[in-house]
C-alpha cells in the first residue's frame, strides 16, 4: 500500500482481521517465532526504517514481528486506508468500463481499475475432516486462530495433531503447562536448532552499519537470505569433514545455513541422505528412549523438501514424563469422540485438542474469493487443474489483477518479506507504466503463462522438492490438484527475469490502450 500510495495512486485495502499484520496477526499461538532472522525478515524499502527499528533477538517471536508491522502501518500513515474486519467475497471485471467491482462481506461494493490480491499464502487454515469432532466435550483450537486472550492448559490432558513448523513450536509450550501432552504424529519431520539469542548493542550497531551490503546480497541470493556455502558437493567431501561441517552449522543454528552447506543437498538423493542421517543422529543423541527416537527420525522425504522446522527444545521435550508420542501413521486417527481421540489402536482421553494441521496453502485464500474475469470466467475454474500464472504475479484471462507472491513465484520458498517487496515494486511499476502510456488494461498472455508454468515445473523437477507430499504441491488438501507451486529457480535469478520483462515494455503482457 505504501509503495502504491507513494506513486500517487488511491488505494483501499480490505483486511479480514481486526488488526494489521496478516500471518503475524492470526498466528498468535504460544511459541510462534519467525524462522528467518530478524535482520532479513524486515523491510528494506526505507533505509531510515531499518536504522530506527531495533530487533531484540536473532529469531523474533510473534509479538515482536506484530509490533514491527504495526509500527510500519503507523509510520507511513496507512491505517486510514485499511478497512479492517472486512472480508472480500468477490471481485468482478466489467469489460465495458474496464474496472473491477469488489464486493465485501459488509454488503458494500467498490470499483477499482486494479486489484492487487495479497490475501496471503498461509492464511486459509486446514482442519482435517475428523468424524465426531462436533461430539468432543473439550475445547479445540487451530493454531492459526488462537484465542487472543490465550489458553490455560494447566491440569489438562491435551492432544496435539500436526508436527510441522507450527506443531513443533507450540508443543514444548503446551508440555510445560499441561498435565499431559499426547503428540499425534503422522509424519516425522526434520528440525534443526534455532540457537536463538538476544542481540548485544554492539551487534545491533554492526547489523545497522551493514544493512546496505546485506540487502544487496539478499536480493542476489537463492532464498532471499545471504547464505555462505562451502561451494562443494556433499559427495566430494570426506565423511569426517562433512560431519565436522554439519556439526559446526548445527551449533550455529538455522535451517537455511544447514541446507546451504553443499551445492547438491537439494538435488541429489545421495547428498541429501548425508544431512538426513546427520540430523537423525542428533535426534537419537537427544531423545533418551530409543524407540521414541526412532519414531521421531524422519524418513519419508528428503531434508528440505518440506519446510525444515526449527526448534531448540522439541526433541528434548520427549524426555519429559508428561509427554507421549502417538504414531498415527501405523495406527491412524479414526475419530474424535466425546472424551478425546480414537486411533485404530486405542482411545485417548483428552480435555483439549490442538490442530497444528496447516493451511490450504498459496491458493486457498484466493480460491475462496469469487474472482470473475471477462466473459464470466472464474478463477476457480481457470485453476481447477492447478494454478497457472505468469511470473506468479498475473493470470491470463484476468486483466488488471495482480498477485503478491502467487503460485509460480519464489514466495514460500524464500524470505517472504523480500519477495513481497519485489512483487510490490514490480506491480507498482507496471501500474505506473500503464498510467503514463494510456493503457486501460494489462493482461498476461496465454503463451507467456504456459511457458512460465513449464519453466517453473522443469526447474522443480530437477530438484528433490516434488518428492515430498507437501503443501508445496497441495498434497495436504484432499482433492487439490498436485502442482508444485513455488518457483525454485532462486530469488536473484527470478528478479532478473522480472526486471527484463519490465525493461522490454512488459514482455508477455497484452496492453490495451484507451480511456
Ligand atoms: O503446517 P504443515 P504448519 N492427521 O502443513 C499434520 C510456515 N510456518 O502450520 O505431514 C494427522 O507444515 C501433517 O502431517 P503430514 C512454514 O512455511 C513458519 O506446521 O501431512 N496429522 C503435518 O504434520 C510452514 O511450512 C513458521 O503427514 C495431520 C501438520 O499436520 C507452514 O507455515 C512457523 C492431519 C501440518 O503441517 C505451515 O506450517 C509456523 C491428519 N488428518 C509455520 N492433517 C516459522 O516461521 C494434517 N496433519 C517458524
Amino acid at each position: 500500500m505504501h509503495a502504491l500510495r507513494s506513486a500517487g495512486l488511491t488505494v483501499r485495502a480490505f483486511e479480514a482481521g481486526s488488526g494489521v499484520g496478516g500471518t503475524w496477526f492470526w498466528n498468535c499461538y504460544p511459541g510462534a517465532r519467525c524462522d528467518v532472522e530478524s535482520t532479513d525478515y524486515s523491510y528494506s524499502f526505507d533505509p531510515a526504517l531499518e536504522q530506527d527499528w531495533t530487533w531484540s533477538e536473532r529469531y523474533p517471536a510473534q509479538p515482536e514481528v506484530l509490533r514491527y508491522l504495526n509500527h510500519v502501518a503507523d509510520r507511513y500513515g496507512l491505517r486510514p486506508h485499511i478497512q479492517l474486519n472486512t472480508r472480500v467475497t468477490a471481485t468482478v471485471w466489467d469489460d465495458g468500463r474496464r474496472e473491477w467491482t469488489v464486493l465485501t462481506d459488509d454488503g458494500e461494493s467498490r470499483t477499482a481499475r486494479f486489484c492487487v490480491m495479497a490475501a496471503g499464502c498461509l492464511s486459509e487454515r486446514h482442519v482435517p475432516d475428523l468424524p465426531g469432532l462436533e461430539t468432543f466435550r473439550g475445547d479445540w483450537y487451530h493454531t492459526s486462530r488462537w484465542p487472543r486472550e490465550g489458553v490455560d492448559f494447566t491440569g489438562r490432558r491435551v492432544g496435539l495433531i500436526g508436527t510441522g513448523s507450527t506443531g513443533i513450536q507450540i508443543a514444548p509450550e503446551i508440555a510445560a503447562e499441561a498435565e499431559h501432552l499426547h503428540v499425534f504424529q503422522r509424519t516425522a519431520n526434520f528440525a534443526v536448532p534455532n540457537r536463538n539469542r538476544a542481540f548485544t548493542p554492539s551487534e545491533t550497531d554492526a547489523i545497522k552499519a551493514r544493512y546496505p551490503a546485506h540487502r544487496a546480497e539478499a536480493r542476489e541470493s537463492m532464498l532471499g537470505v545471504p547464505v555462505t556455502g562451502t561451494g562443494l558437493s556433499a559427495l566430494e567431501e570426506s565423511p569426517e569433514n562433512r560431519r565436522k561441517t554439519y556439526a559446526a552449522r548445527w551449533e550455529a543454528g538455522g535451517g537455511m545455513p544447514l541446507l546451504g552447506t553443499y551445492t547438491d543437498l537439494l538435488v541429489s538423493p545421495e547428498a541429501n541422505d548425508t544431512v538426513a542421517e546427520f540430523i537423525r543422529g542428533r535426534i537419537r543423541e537427544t531423545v533418551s528412549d530409543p524407540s521414541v527416537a526412532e519414531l521421531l527420525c524422519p524418513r519419508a522425504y528428503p531434508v528440505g523438501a518440506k519446510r525444515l522446522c526449527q526448534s531448540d527444545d522439541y526433541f528434548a521435550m520427549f524426555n519429559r514424563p508428561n509427554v507421549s508420542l502417538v504414531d498415527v501413521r501405523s495406527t491412524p486417527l479414526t475419530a474424535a469422540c466425546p472424551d478425546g481421540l480414537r486411533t485404530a489402536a486405542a482411545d485417548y482421553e483428552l480435555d483439549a485438542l490442538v490442530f497444528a494441521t496447516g493451511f490450504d496453502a498459496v491458493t486457498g485464500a484466493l480460491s475462496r474469493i469469487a474472482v470473475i474475469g471477462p466473459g464470466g470466467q472464474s478463477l476457480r475454474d481457470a485453476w481447477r487443474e492447478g494454478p497457472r500464472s505468469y511470473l506468479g504475479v498475473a493470470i491470463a484471462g484476468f486483466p488488471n489483477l495482480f498477485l503478491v507472491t502467487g503460485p509460480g513465484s519464489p514466495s514460500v520458498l524464500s524470505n517472504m518479506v523480500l519477495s513481497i517487496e519485489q512483487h510490490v515494486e514490480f506491480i507498482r511499476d507496471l501500474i505506473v507504466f500503464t498510467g503514463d502510456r494510456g493503457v486501460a488494461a494489462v493482461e498476461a498472455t496465454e503463451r507467456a503463462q504456459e511457458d512460465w508454468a513449464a519453466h517453473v515445473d522443469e526447474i522443480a523437477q530437477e530438484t528433490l522438492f516434488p518428492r515430498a507430499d507437501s503443501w508445496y504441491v497441495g498434497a495436504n488438501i484432499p482433492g487439490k490438484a498436485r502442482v508444485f507451486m513455488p518457483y525454485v529457480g532462486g530469488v536473484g535469478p527470478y528478479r532478473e527475469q522480472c526486471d527484463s520483462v519490465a525493461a522490454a515494455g512488459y514482455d508477455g503482457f497484452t496492453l490495451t490502450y484507451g480511456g
Side-chain angles (χ1 to χ4, degrees):
M1 163 171 290
H2 176 62
L4 297 175
R5 284 180 40 76
S6 302
L9 297 158
T10 305
V11 189
R12 185 105 195 119
F14 301 102
E15 165 57 52
S18 60
V20 299
T23 201
W24 297 102
F25 170 84
W26 293 105
N27 286 276
C28 58
Y29 59 86
R33 186 177 291 285
C34 188
D35 62 3
V36 176
E37 297 192 30
S38 52
T39 45
D40 289 298
Y41 201 83
S42 48
Y43 293 117
S44 65
F45 64 84
D46 181 356
L49 169 63
E50 59 193 14
Q51 293 304 317
D52 289 351
W53 182 267
T54 297
W55 290 105
S56 70
E57 51 187 343
R58 182 181 181 193
Y59 291 105
Q62 175 267 341
E64 188 170 13
V65 184
L66 189 58
R67 267 200 308 281
Y68 172 74
L69 294 170
N70 274 283
H71 168 76
V72 170
D74 288 330
R75 185 179 176 112
Y76 301 101
L78 306 182
R79 289 193 198 273
H81 312 286
I82 303 173
Q83 190 170 319
L84 299 172
N85 300 306
T86 310
R87 188 173 284 278
V88 172
T89 53
T91 180
V92 183
W93 176 252
D94 181 328
D95 225 358
R97 301 172 68 91
R98 293 203 180 109
E99 64 184 21
W100 289 95
T101 299
V102 179
L103 305 167
T104 47
D105 63 355
D106 55 3
E108 296 288 318
S109 72
R110 286 88 168 170
T111 55
R113 269 193 73 208
F114 296 97
C115 261
V116 179
M117 310 305 270
C121 291
L122 295 164
S123 43
E124 192 59 47
R125 72 173 186 173
H126 169 60
V127 180
D129 191 9
L130 193 58
L133 185 56
E134 69 290 349
T135 68
F136 178 57
R137 277 196 288 257
D139 301 314
W140 69 266
Y141 310 91
H142 188 279
T143 44
S144 79
R145 295 293 179 273
W146 204 254
R148 301 205 86 75
E149 65 280 10
V151 179
D152 184 2
F153 288 117
T154 311
R156 296 166 85 188
R157 297 158 302 175
V158 183
L160 171 66
I161 304 175
T163 53
S165 297
T166 303
I168 281 176
Q169 286 189 328
I170 197 173
E173 303 288 326
I174 301 175
E177 214 172 80
E179 181 187 306
H180 200 93
L181 172 66
H182 292 274
V183 177
F184 293 87
Q185 171 189 278
R186 189 165 66 182
T187 306
N189 275 313
F190 295 97
V192 302
N194 274 321
R195 311 289 182 213
N196 188 36
R197 59 188 164 70
F199 287 133
T200 63
S202 63
E203 268 178 305
T204 296
D205 289 347
I207 287 164
K208 289 189 179 181
R210 239 202 131 251
Y211 262 131
H214 188 85
R215 302 292 195 195
E217 285 166 27
R219 279 193 276 268
E220 300 296 305
S221 68
M222 291 302 279
L223 295 171
V225 171
V227 171
T228 310
T230 57
L232 300 172
S233 152
L235 305 175
E236 58 184 279
E237 277 267 62
S238 70
E240 184 48 24
N241 279 351
R242 216 166 41 212
R243 201 198 55 76
K244 279 191 195 146
T245 308
Y246 288 145
R249 290 190 177 225
W250 184 265
E251 273 319 302
M256 288 182 182
L258 187 68
L259 287 177
T261 311
Y262 296 112
T263 53
D264 48 359
L265 292 184
L266 292 169
V267 291
S268 152
E270 296 75 27
N272 193 279
D273 278 348
T274 66
V275 70
E277 196 44 42
F278 176 83
I279 298 176
R280 287 191 284 263
R282 304 290 73 70
I283 296 171
R284 292 185 192 107
E285 266 170 19
T286 308
V287 178
S288 22
D289 180 333
S291 62
V292 175
E294 268 332 291
L295 263 183
L296 287 167
C297 279
R299 300 189 179 280
Y301 65 94
V303 186
K306 287 187 179 192
R307 179 76 166 205
L308 181 52
C309 304
Q310 288 187 203
S311 172
D312 286 326
D313 42 13
Y314 177 69
F315 293 121
M317 176 195 77
F318 288 94
N319 297 332
R320 295 177 65 113
N322 70 329
V323 175
S324 349
L325 183 63
V326 184
D327 172 17
V328 292
R329 172 72 60 191
S330 60
T331 54
L333 274 173
T334 52
C337 33
D339 294 329
L341 287 179
R342 178 163 299 153
T343 72
D347 283 358
Y348 295 84
E349 288 197 2
L350 302 166
D351 305 305
L353 273 180
V354 174
F355 288 92
T357 43
F359 302 89
D360 182 353
V362 185
T363 55
L366 206 49
S367 62
R368 279 159 180 84
I369 298 173
V371 179
I372 311 294
Q377 190 198 13
S378 84
L379 183 60
R380 269 178 221 149
D381 285 341
W383 280 5
R384 201 163 293 284
E385 304 297 317
R388 284 269 188 280
S389 76
Y390 181 40
L391 299 169
V393 86
I395 310 162
F398 296 87
N400 291 7
L401 181 116
F402 304 115
L403 310 174
V404 177
T405 62
S409 72
S411 67
V412 289
L413 269 178
S414 71
N415 169 6
M416 281 299 273
V417 180
L418 182 137
S419 287
I420 288 169
E421 279 191 311
Q422 187 255 333
H423 264 189
V424 163
E425 286 163 13
F426 182 89
I427 293 165
R428 175 203 58 200
D429 293 349
L430 177 48
I431 293 177
V432 169
F433 177 93
T434 64
D436 290 347
R437 288 167 180 76
V439 173
V442 56
E443 182 186 333
T445 66
E446 285 284 352
R447 177 66 197 266
Q449 178 164 288
E450 285 314 304
D451 288 351
W452 183 252
H455 175 59
V456 170
D457 186 57
E458 188 187 347
I459 296 209
Q461 298 307 330
E462 287 167 9
T463 71
L464 302 178
F465 284 105
R467 298 193 182 201
D469 286 332
S470 66
W471 57 260
Y472 298 144
V473 294
N476 62 328
I477 303 297
K480 190 165 175 172
R482 190 174 177 117
V483 169
F484 189 81
M485 294 184 280
Y487 177 65
V488 290
V491 158
Y494 172 79
R495 175 185 295 270
E496 277 174 27
Q497 293 176 80
C498 290
D499 288 350
S500 60
V501 163
Y506 294 97
D507 194 18
F509 287 90
T510 302
L511 308 175
T512 306
Y513 291 84

